[in-house]
Every structure is written in C-alpha cells, then in structure tokens.
Amino acid sequence: MDINQVIRYLSILAIPLDIDFTKNDIISSYKTRSKLFHPDLNKSNNSNSKFIELNDAYNFILDNFDAVKKILKSDETKKHSIYNDKHKENNNDGFFLEKFSQIFSNLIILVYIRLCYF
C-alpha cells in the first residue's frame, strides 16, 4: 500500500489528514459526496468518472481501514512531503463540505427568520 494512494483517496473522500477519523466519518463523507457526484443527480460531463473514483476510494479505505490508520500514524508518513502539504492545506482550509454545510445552514436560518419575523 502506497502513502500517495492513501492520501489521494482520503482527499477524494474529503477526509482531513489531521483528524483521527473513524469508519463512520468515512461512510458519512462518502454519502455526502456521492450525492454531489452521482451521475443521476449531477449532469456535468465528468460526474460519472468522479463517482467511480469516489467509489474506489471508499471501498479501498474501508477495506484497508486498519492499515490506512497505521500508515498515517507512522513516523515515515509524517516525514513525507505530500502528507505535509496536505496537512498544511487541511489546517488552513479545513473540510470544504463542512464549511459549505455550515454556511448553507446559516443561510437557511437567516431566510427562515426573515420570512417569519419581517
């Protein structure tokens, strides 16, 4: 198992490298992202290939969950340049879908308040 492959698959699933994720985090992220890239819901040209990539990443990470966690905790991984770049990126930008959902939920609350009270 290659560290580059693990990091790539985690980024496809939008799992930050700096958190101690669980299988439930993987499943939750997969469900959220599958709604974004499912070819029946997303009519863009590359949605099918992105959905296939997402399925591959999901199956790989869940099938090799313990090995992936072990690789990410190893000292060799923390020295790896791709890990450090992704780790910095995740610390600066955070989990994109989480931010998007927070902003979207706040927007819905504001619209609701506006409709009810004004």
Side-chain angles (χ1 to χ4, degrees), residues 73-102:
K73 288 182 180 181
S74 74
D75 289 336
E76 288 301 313
T77 300
K78 291 178 181 164
K79 293 175 188 173
H80 200 281
S81 63
I82 292 177
Y83 176 87
N84 290 326
D85 292 343
K86 289 288 182 185
H87 189 74
K88 286 177 193 170
E89 179 182 309
N90 288 334
N91 282 336
N92 292 335
D93 297 336
F95 189 12
F96 171 74
L97 290 177
E98 183 178 319
K99 284 185 177 184
F100 177 77
S101 65
Q102 288 172 351

PDB file of all heavy atoms in Angstrom, residues 73-102:
ATOM      1  N   LYS A  73      -0.266   7.067  10.928  1.00  0.00           N
ATOM      2  CA  LYS A  73       0.333   7.334  12.233  1.00  0.00           C
ATOM      3  C   LYS A  73       1.836   7.073  12.255  1.00  0.00           C
ATOM      4  O   LYS A  73       2.505   7.425  13.220  1.00  0.00           O
ATOM      5  CB  LYS A  73      -0.348   6.490  13.304  1.00  0.00           C
ATOM      6  CG  LYS A  73      -1.745   6.974  13.601  1.00  0.00           C
ATOM      7  CD  LYS A  73      -2.403   6.184  14.685  1.00  0.00           C
ATOM      8  CE  LYS A  73      -3.794   6.725  14.938  1.00  0.00           C
ATOM      9  NZ  LYS A  73      -4.488   6.033  15.988  1.00  0.00           N
ATOM     10  N   SER A  74       2.364   6.485  11.195  1.00  0.00           N
ATOM     11  CA  SER A  74       3.786   6.147  11.178  1.00  0.00           C
ATOM     12  C   SER A  74       4.651   7.391  11.043  1.00  0.00           C
ATOM     13  O   SER A  74       4.247   8.403  10.476  1.00  0.00           O
ATOM     14  CB  SER A  74       4.094   5.170  10.041  1.00  0.00           C
ATOM     15  OG  SER A  74       4.064   5.836   8.813  1.00  0.00           O
ATOM     16  N   ASP A  75       5.848   7.315  11.582  1.00  0.00           N
ATOM     17  CA  ASP A  75       6.789   8.428  11.506  1.00  0.00           C
ATOM     18  C   ASP A  75       7.220   8.698  10.070  1.00  0.00           C
ATOM     19  O   ASP A  75       7.454   9.844   9.688  1.00  0.00           O
ATOM     20  CB  ASP A  75       8.027   8.145  12.370  1.00  0.00           C
ATOM     21  CG  ASP A  75       7.697   8.204  13.847  1.00  0.00           C
ATOM     22  OD1 ASP A  75       6.707   8.880  14.200  1.00  0.00           O
ATOM     23  OD2 ASP A  75       8.417   7.580  14.639  1.00  0.00           O
ATOM     24  N   GLU A  76       7.346   7.648   9.265  1.00  0.00           N
ATOM     25  CA  GLU A  76       7.741   7.821   7.863  1.00  0.00           C
ATOM     26  C   GLU A  76       6.718   8.662   7.103  1.00  0.00           C
ATOM     27  O   GLU A  76       7.079   9.478   6.272  1.00  0.00           O
ATOM     28  CB  GLU A  76       7.908   6.456   7.182  1.00  0.00           C
ATOM     29  CG  GLU A  76       9.128   5.694   7.623  1.00  0.00           C
ATOM     30  CD  GLU A  76      10.416   6.454   7.354  1.00  0.00           C
ATOM     31  OE1 GLU A  76      10.578   6.986   6.236  1.00  0.00           O
ATOM     32  OE2 GLU A  76      11.252   6.532   8.263  1.00  0.00           O
ATOM     33  N   THR A  77       5.452   8.462   7.398  1.00  0.00           N
ATOM     34  CA  THR A  77       4.397   9.219   6.723  1.00  0.00           C
ATOM     35  C   THR A  77       4.491  10.693   7.085  1.00  0.00           C
ATOM     36  O   THR A  77       4.338  11.560   6.229  1.00  0.00           O
ATOM     37  CB  THR A  77       3.016   8.683   7.121  1.00  0.00           C
ATOM     38  OG1 THR A  77       2.942   7.312   6.743  1.00  0.00           O
ATOM     39  CG2 THR A  77       1.912   9.446   6.436  1.00  0.00           C
ATOM     40  N   LYS A  78       4.755  10.986   8.319  1.00  0.00           N
ATOM     41  CA  LYS A  78       4.812  12.384   8.760  1.00  0.00           C
ATOM     42  C   LYS A  78       6.001  13.120   8.156  1.00  0.00           C
ATOM     43  O   LYS A  78       5.997  14.338   8.076  1.00  0.00           O
ATOM     44  CB  LYS A  78       4.822  12.442  10.276  1.00  0.00           C
ATOM     45  CG  LYS A  78       3.482  11.999  10.824  1.00  0.00           C
ATOM     46  CD  LYS A  78       3.416  11.985  12.305  1.00  0.00           C
ATOM     47  CE  LYS A  78       2.029  11.488  12.701  1.00  0.00           C
ATOM     48  NZ  LYS A  78       1.924  11.090  14.039  1.00  0.00           N
ATOM     49  N   LYS A  79       7.003  12.386   7.698  1.00  0.00           N
ATOM     50  CA  LYS A  79       8.147  12.996   7.020  1.00  0.00           C
ATOM     51  C   LYS A  79       7.871  13.203   5.529  1.00  0.00           C
ATOM     52  O   LYS A  79       8.574  13.934   4.868  1.00  0.00           O
ATOM     53  CB  LYS A  79       9.385  12.105   7.167  1.00  0.00           C
ATOM     54  CG  LYS A  79       9.895  11.994   8.587  1.00  0.00           C
ATOM     55  CD  LYS A  79      11.038  11.018   8.652  1.00  0.00           C
ATOM     56  CE  LYS A  79      11.444  10.740  10.079  1.00  0.00           C
ATOM     57  NZ  LYS A  79      12.436   9.676  10.169  1.00  0.00           N
ATOM     58  N   HIS A  80       6.864  12.524   5.024  1.00  0.00           N
ATOM     59  CA  HIS A  80       6.548  12.543   3.602  1.00  0.00           C
ATOM     60  C   HIS A  80       6.058  13.926   3.180  1.00  0.00           C
ATOM     61  O   HIS A  80       5.223  14.543   3.827  1.00  0.00           O
ATOM     62  CB  HIS A  80       5.465  11.493   3.320  1.00  0.00           C
ATOM     63  CG  HIS A  80       5.385  11.086   1.894  1.00  0.00           C
ATOM     64  ND1 HIS A  80       4.755  11.852   0.953  1.00  0.00           N
ATOM     65  CD2 HIS A  80       5.842   9.995   1.256  1.00  0.00           C
ATOM     66  CE1 HIS A  80       4.819  11.254  -0.209  1.00  0.00           C
ATOM     67  NE2 HIS A  80       5.473  10.120  -0.056  1.00  0.00           N
ATOM     68  N   SER A  81       6.568  14.432   2.070  1.00  0.00           N
ATOM     69  CA  SER A  81       6.244  15.799   1.641  1.00  0.00           C
ATOM     70  C   SER A  81       4.772  15.952   1.270  1.00  0.00           C
ATOM     71  O   SER A  81       4.169  16.988   1.535  1.00  0.00           O
ATOM     72  CB  SER A  81       7.122  16.203   0.465  1.00  0.00           C
ATOM     73  OG  SER A  81       6.863  15.378  -0.642  1.00  0.00           O
ATOM     74  N   ILE A  82       4.177  14.944   0.656  1.00  0.00           N
ATOM     75  CA  ILE A  82       2.765  15.048   0.280  1.00  0.00           C
ATOM     76  C   ILE A  82       1.905  15.126   1.531  1.00  0.00           C
ATOM     77  O   ILE A  82       0.969  15.911   1.606  1.00  0.00           O
ATOM     78  CB  ILE A  82       2.336  13.852  -0.601  1.00  0.00           C
ATOM     79  CG1 ILE A  82       3.023  13.941  -1.947  1.00  0.00           C
ATOM     80  CG2 ILE A  82       0.834  13.819  -0.774  1.00  0.00           C
ATOM     81  CD1 ILE A  82       2.748  12.789  -2.863  1.00  0.00           C
ATOM     82  N   TYR A  83       2.241  14.349   2.545  1.00  0.00           N
ATOM     83  CA  TYR A  83       1.492  14.402   3.806  1.00  0.00           C
ATOM     84  C   TYR A  83       1.577  15.799   4.396  1.00  0.00           C
ATOM     85  O   TYR A  83       0.578  16.372   4.809  1.00  0.00           O
ATOM     86  CB  TYR A  83       2.033  13.379   4.802  1.00  0.00           C
ATOM     87  CG  TYR A  83       1.375  13.458   6.153  1.00  0.00           C
ATOM     88  CD1 TYR A  83       0.207  12.758   6.393  1.00  0.00           C
ATOM     89  CD2 TYR A  83       1.902  14.242   7.170  1.00  0.00           C
ATOM     90  CE1 TYR A  83      -0.415  12.828   7.628  1.00  0.00           C
ATOM     91  CE2 TYR A  83       1.295  14.323   8.403  1.00  0.00           C
ATOM     92  CZ  TYR A  83       0.135  13.611   8.627  1.00  0.00           C
ATOM     93  OH  TYR A  83      -0.482  13.691   9.838  1.00  0.00           O
ATOM     94  N   ASN A  84       2.766  16.375   4.420  1.00  0.00           N
ATOM     95  CA  ASN A  84       2.943  17.705   4.994  1.00  0.00           C
ATOM     96  C   ASN A  84       2.190  18.766   4.205  1.00  0.00           C
ATOM     97  O   ASN A  84       1.574  19.652   4.781  1.00  0.00           O
ATOM     98  CB  ASN A  84       4.427  18.058   5.093  1.00  0.00           C
ATOM     99  CG  ASN A  84       5.123  17.232   6.146  1.00  0.00           C
ATOM    100  OD1 ASN A  84       4.522  16.895   7.157  1.00  0.00           O
ATOM    101  ND2 ASN A  84       6.367  16.892   5.904  1.00  0.00           N
ATOM    102  N   ASP A  85       2.213  18.681   2.878  1.00  0.00           N
ATOM    103  CA  ASP A  85       1.476  19.642   2.058  1.00  0.00           C
ATOM    104  C   ASP A  85      -0.024  19.524   2.305  1.00  0.00           C
ATOM    105  O   ASP A  85      -0.715  20.518   2.487  1.00  0.00           O
ATOM    106  CB  ASP A  85       1.753  19.421   0.571  1.00  0.00           C
ATOM    107  CG  ASP A  85       3.191  19.759   0.195  1.00  0.00           C
ATOM    108  OD1 ASP A  85       3.860  20.460   0.987  1.00  0.00           O
ATOM    109  OD2 ASP A  85       3.624  19.319  -0.881  1.00  0.00           O
ATOM    110  N   LYS A  86      -0.551  18.301   2.311  1.00  0.00           N
ATOM    111  CA  LYS A  86      -1.979  18.089   2.545  1.00  0.00           C
ATOM    112  C   LYS A  86      -2.348  18.480   3.972  1.00  0.00           C
ATOM    113  O   LYS A  86      -3.406  19.036   4.218  1.00  0.00           O
ATOM    114  CB  LYS A  86      -2.372  16.626   2.295  1.00  0.00           C
ATOM    115  CG  LYS A  86      -2.341  16.218   0.862  1.00  0.00           C
ATOM    116  CD  LYS A  86      -3.489  16.839   0.113  1.00  0.00           C
ATOM    117  CE  LYS A  86      -3.497  16.380  -1.328  1.00  0.00           C
ATOM    118  NZ  LYS A  86      -4.517  17.032  -2.110  1.00  0.00           N
ATOM    119  N   HIS A  87      -1.455  18.179   4.908  1.00  0.00           N
ATOM    120  CA  HIS A  87      -1.713  18.504   6.303  1.00  0.00           C
ATOM    121  C   HIS A  87      -1.822  20.020   6.469  1.00  0.00           C
ATOM    122  O   HIS A  87      -2.730  20.517   7.127  1.00  0.00           O
ATOM    123  CB  HIS A  87      -0.587  17.935   7.172  1.00  0.00           C
ATOM    124  CG  HIS A  87      -0.859  18.018   8.634  1.00  0.00           C
ATOM    125  ND1 HIS A  87      -1.753  17.193   9.245  1.00  0.00           N
ATOM    126  CD2 HIS A  87      -0.361  18.834   9.589  1.00  0.00           C
ATOM    127  CE1 HIS A  87      -1.796  17.483  10.532  1.00  0.00           C
ATOM    128  NE2 HIS A  87      -0.960  18.485  10.758  1.00  0.00           N
ATOM    129  N   LYS A  88      -0.932  20.773   5.855  1.00  0.00           N
ATOM    130  CA  LYS A  88      -0.993  22.236   5.916  1.00  0.00           C
ATOM    131  C   LYS A  88      -2.265  22.731   5.236  1.00  0.00           C
ATOM    132  O   LYS A  88      -2.937  23.627   5.728  1.00  0.00           O
ATOM    133  CB  LYS A  88       0.228  22.841   5.232  1.00  0.00           C
ATOM    134  CG  LYS A  88       1.501  22.709   6.018  1.00  0.00           C
ATOM    135  CD  LYS A  88       2.660  23.273   5.221  1.00  0.00           C
ATOM    136  CE  LYS A  88       3.986  22.858   5.838  1.00  0.00           C
ATOM    137  NZ  LYS A  88       5.106  23.181   4.969  1.00  0.00           N
ATOM    138  N   GLU A  89      -2.568  22.138   4.092  1.00  0.00           N
ATOM    139  CA  GLU A  89      -3.762  22.537   3.349  1.00  0.00           C
ATOM    140  C   GLU A  89      -5.010  22.305   4.187  1.00  0.00           C
ATOM    141  O   GLU A  89      -5.893  23.147   4.254  1.00  0.00           O
ATOM    142  CB  GLU A  89      -3.822  21.720   2.059  1.00  0.00           C
ATOM    143  CG  GLU A  89      -5.020  22.002   1.188  1.00  0.00           C
ATOM    144  CD  GLU A  89      -5.007  21.118  -0.040  1.00  0.00           C
ATOM    145  OE1 GLU A  89      -3.984  21.071  -0.736  1.00  0.00           O
ATOM    146  OE2 GLU A  89      -6.024  20.444  -0.263  1.00  0.00           O
ATOM    147  N   ASN A  90      -5.082  21.151   4.854  1.00  0.00           N
ATOM    148  CA  ASN A  90      -6.238  20.842   5.680  1.00  0.00           C
ATOM    149  C   ASN A  90      -6.319  21.764   6.893  1.00  0.00           C
ATOM    150  O   ASN A  90      -7.399  22.159   7.299  1.00  0.00           O
ATOM    151  CB  ASN A  90      -6.205  19.384   6.150  1.00  0.00           C
ATOM    152  CG  ASN A  90      -6.500  18.433   5.019  1.00  0.00           C
ATOM    153  OD1 ASN A  90      -7.163  18.787   4.062  1.00  0.00           O
ATOM    154  ND2 ASN A  90      -6.000  17.227   5.111  1.00  0.00           N
ATOM    155  N   ASN A  91      -5.176  22.105   7.469  1.00  0.00           N
ATOM    156  CA  ASN A  91      -5.198  23.002   8.616  1.00  0.00           C
ATOM    157  C   ASN A  91      -5.626  24.399   8.216  1.00  0.00           C
ATOM    158  O   ASN A  91      -6.268  25.094   8.988  1.00  0.00           O
ATOM    159  CB  ASN A  91      -3.816  23.053   9.291  1.00  0.00           C
ATOM    160  CG  ASN A  91      -3.570  21.838  10.141  1.00  0.00           C
ATOM    161  OD1 ASN A  91      -4.504  21.198  10.592  1.00  0.00           O
ATOM    162  ND2 ASN A  91      -2.320  21.517  10.349  1.00  0.00           N
ATOM    163  N   ASN A  92      -5.271  24.835   7.025  1.00  0.00           N
ATOM    164  CA  ASN A  92      -5.621  26.182   6.586  1.00  0.00           C
ATOM    165  C   ASN A  92      -7.048  26.263   6.065  1.00  0.00           C
ATOM    166  O   ASN A  92      -7.766  27.195   6.369  1.00  0.00           O
ATOM    167  CB  ASN A  92      -4.662  26.658   5.488  1.00  0.00           C
ATOM    168  CG  ASN A  92      -3.273  26.879   6.022  1.00  0.00           C
ATOM    169  OD1 ASN A  92      -3.093  27.130   7.204  1.00  0.00           O
ATOM    170  ND2 ASN A  92      -2.282  26.766   5.165  1.00  0.00           N
ATOM    171  N   ASP A  93      -7.433  25.304   5.260  1.00  0.00           N
ATOM    172  CA  ASP A  93      -8.724  25.377   4.598  1.00  0.00           C
ATOM    173  C   ASP A  93      -9.819  24.595   5.310  1.00  0.00           C
ATOM    174  O   ASP A  93     -10.980  24.887   5.153  1.00  0.00           O
ATOM    175  CB  ASP A  93      -8.621  24.857   3.161  1.00  0.00           C
ATOM    176  CG  ASP A  93      -7.691  25.711   2.332  1.00  0.00           C
ATOM    177  OD1 ASP A  93      -7.515  26.890   2.692  1.00  0.00           O
ATOM    178  OD2 ASP A  93      -7.137  25.197   1.360  1.00  0.00           O
ATOM    179  N   GLY A  94      -9.464  23.588   6.045  1.00  0.00           N
ATOM    180  CA  GLY A  94     -10.469  22.779   6.723  1.00  0.00           C
ATOM    181  C   GLY A  94     -11.212  21.878   5.757  1.00  0.00           C
ATOM    182  O   GLY A  94     -10.855  21.714   4.608  1.00  0.00           O
ATOM    183  N   PHE A  95     -12.249  21.345   6.226  1.00  0.00           N
ATOM    184  CA  PHE A  95     -13.068  20.405   5.487  1.00  0.00           C
ATOM    185  C   PHE A  95     -14.077  21.207   4.670  1.00  0.00           C
ATOM    186  O   PHE A  95     -14.999  21.787   5.211  1.00  0.00           O
ATOM    187  CB  PHE A  95     -13.731  19.494   6.491  1.00  0.00           C
ATOM    188  CG  PHE A  95     -14.465  18.320   5.945  1.00  0.00           C
ATOM    189  CD1 PHE A  95     -14.355  17.923   4.625  1.00  0.00           C
ATOM    190  CD2 PHE A  95     -15.272  17.591   6.772  1.00  0.00           C
ATOM    191  CE1 PHE A  95     -15.035  16.840   4.142  1.00  0.00           C
ATOM    192  CE2 PHE A  95     -15.973  16.500   6.302  1.00  0.00           C
ATOM    193  CZ  PHE A  95     -15.851  16.126   4.995  1.00  0.00           C
ATOM    194  N   PHE A  96     -13.888  21.253   3.351  1.00  0.00           N
ATOM    195  CA  PHE A  96     -14.691  22.097   2.478  1.00  0.00           C
ATOM    196  C   PHE A  96     -16.184  21.841   2.650  1.00  0.00           C
ATOM    197  O   PHE A  96     -16.962  22.783   2.778  1.00  0.00           O
ATOM    198  CB  PHE A  96     -14.296  21.880   1.015  1.00  0.00           C
ATOM    199  CG  PHE A  96     -15.224  22.548   0.049  1.00  0.00           C
ATOM    200  CD1 PHE A  96     -15.181  23.919  -0.121  1.00  0.00           C
ATOM    201  CD2 PHE A  96     -16.155  21.811  -0.658  1.00  0.00           C
ATOM    202  CE1 PHE A  96     -16.045  24.547  -0.997  1.00  0.00           C
ATOM    203  CE2 PHE A  96     -17.023  22.431  -1.529  1.00  0.00           C
ATOM    204  CZ  PHE A  96     -16.970  23.804  -1.701  1.00  0.00           C
ATOM    205  N   LEU A  97     -16.586  20.595   2.643  1.00  0.00           N
ATOM    206  CA  LEU A  97     -18.010  20.306   2.743  1.00  0.00           C
ATOM    207  C   LEU A  97     -18.582  20.735   4.085  1.00  0.00           C
ATOM    208  O   LEU A  97     -19.719  21.175   4.169  1.00  0.00           O
ATOM    209  CB  LEU A  97     -18.264  18.812   2.523  1.00  0.00           C
ATOM    210  CG  LEU A  97     -18.035  18.325   1.110  1.00  0.00           C
ATOM    211  CD1 LEU A  97     -18.230  16.821   1.023  1.00  0.00           C
ATOM    212  CD2 LEU A  97     -18.962  19.021   0.149  1.00  0.00           C
ATOM    213  N   GLU A  98     -17.773  20.621   5.124  1.00  0.00           N
ATOM    214  CA  GLU A  98     -18.238  21.048   6.446  1.00  0.00           C
ATOM    215  C   GLU A  98     -18.486  22.557   6.448  1.00  0.00           C
ATOM    216  O   GLU A  98     -19.507  23.027   6.935  1.00  0.00           O
ATOM    217  CB  GLU A  98     -17.201  20.676   7.506  1.00  0.00           C
ATOM    218  CG  GLU A  98     -17.619  21.017   8.914  1.00  0.00           C
ATOM    219  CD  GLU A  98     -16.578  20.580   9.913  1.00  0.00           C
ATOM    220  OE1 GLU A  98     -16.021  19.483   9.754  1.00  0.00           O
ATOM    221  OE2 GLU A  98     -16.331  21.357  10.844  1.00  0.00           O
ATOM    222  N   LYS A  99     -17.548  23.317   5.877  1.00  0.00           N
ATOM    223  CA  LYS A  99     -17.721  24.766   5.798  1.00  0.00           C
ATOM    224  C   LYS A  99     -18.929  25.109   4.935  1.00  0.00           C
ATOM    225  O   LYS A  99     -19.720  25.981   5.277  1.00  0.00           O
ATOM    226  CB  LYS A  99     -16.470  25.424   5.220  1.00  0.00           C
ATOM    227  CG  LYS A  99     -15.337  25.521   6.194  1.00  0.00           C
ATOM    228  CD  LYS A  99     -14.206  26.299   5.568  1.00  0.00           C
ATOM    229  CE  LYS A  99     -13.086  26.470   6.571  1.00  0.00           C
ATOM    230  NZ  LYS A  99     -12.021  27.307   6.025  1.00  0.00           N
ATOM    231  N   PHE A 100     -19.061  24.439   3.814  1.00  0.00           N
ATOM    232  CA  PHE A 100     -20.182  24.701   2.923  1.00  0.00           C
ATOM    233  C   PHE A 100     -21.496  24.426   3.626  1.00  0.00           C
ATOM    234  O   PHE A 100     -22.426  25.223   3.549  1.00  0.00           O
ATOM    235  CB  PHE A 100     -20.074  23.841   1.654  1.00  0.00           C
ATOM    236  CG  PHE A 100     -21.232  24.012   0.727  1.00  0.00           C
ATOM    237  CD1 PHE A 100     -21.320  25.138  -0.079  1.00  0.00           C
ATOM    238  CD2 PHE A 100     -22.229  23.062   0.667  1.00  0.00           C
ATOM    239  CE1 PHE A 100     -22.391  25.311  -0.937  1.00  0.00           C
ATOM    240  CE2 PHE A 100     -23.299  23.224  -0.186  1.00  0.00           C
ATOM    241  CZ  PHE A 100     -23.378  24.344  -0.988  1.00  0.00           C
ATOM    242  N   SER A 101     -21.580  23.304   4.333  1.00  0.00           N
ATOM    243  CA  SER A 101     -22.834  22.967   5.014  1.00  0.00           C
ATOM    244  C   SER A 101     -23.130  23.952   6.144  1.00  0.00           C
ATOM    245  O   SER A 101     -24.290  24.297   6.376  1.00  0.00           O
ATOM    246  CB  SER A 101     -22.797  21.531   5.539  1.00  0.00           C
ATOM    247  OG  SER A 101     -21.827  21.390   6.531  1.00  0.00           O
ATOM    248  N   GLN A 102     -22.097  24.441   6.837  1.00  0.00           N
ATOM    249  CA  GLN A 102     -22.313  25.442   7.875  1.00  0.00           C
ATOM    250  C   GLN A 102     -22.849  26.734   7.278  1.00  0.00           C
ATOM    251  O   GLN A 102     -23.799  27.316   7.790  1.00  0.00           O
ATOM    252  CB  GLN A 102     -21.013  25.723   8.628  1.00  0.00           C
ATOM    253  CG  GLN A 102     -20.586  24.611   9.542  1.00  0.00           C
ATOM    254  CD  GLN A 102     -19.196  24.852  10.117  1.00  0.00           C
ATOM    255  OE1 GLN A 102     -18.489  25.755   9.709  1.00  0.00           O
ATOM    256  NE2 GLN A 102     -18.807  24.014  11.067  1.00  0.00           N
TER     257      GLN A 102
END
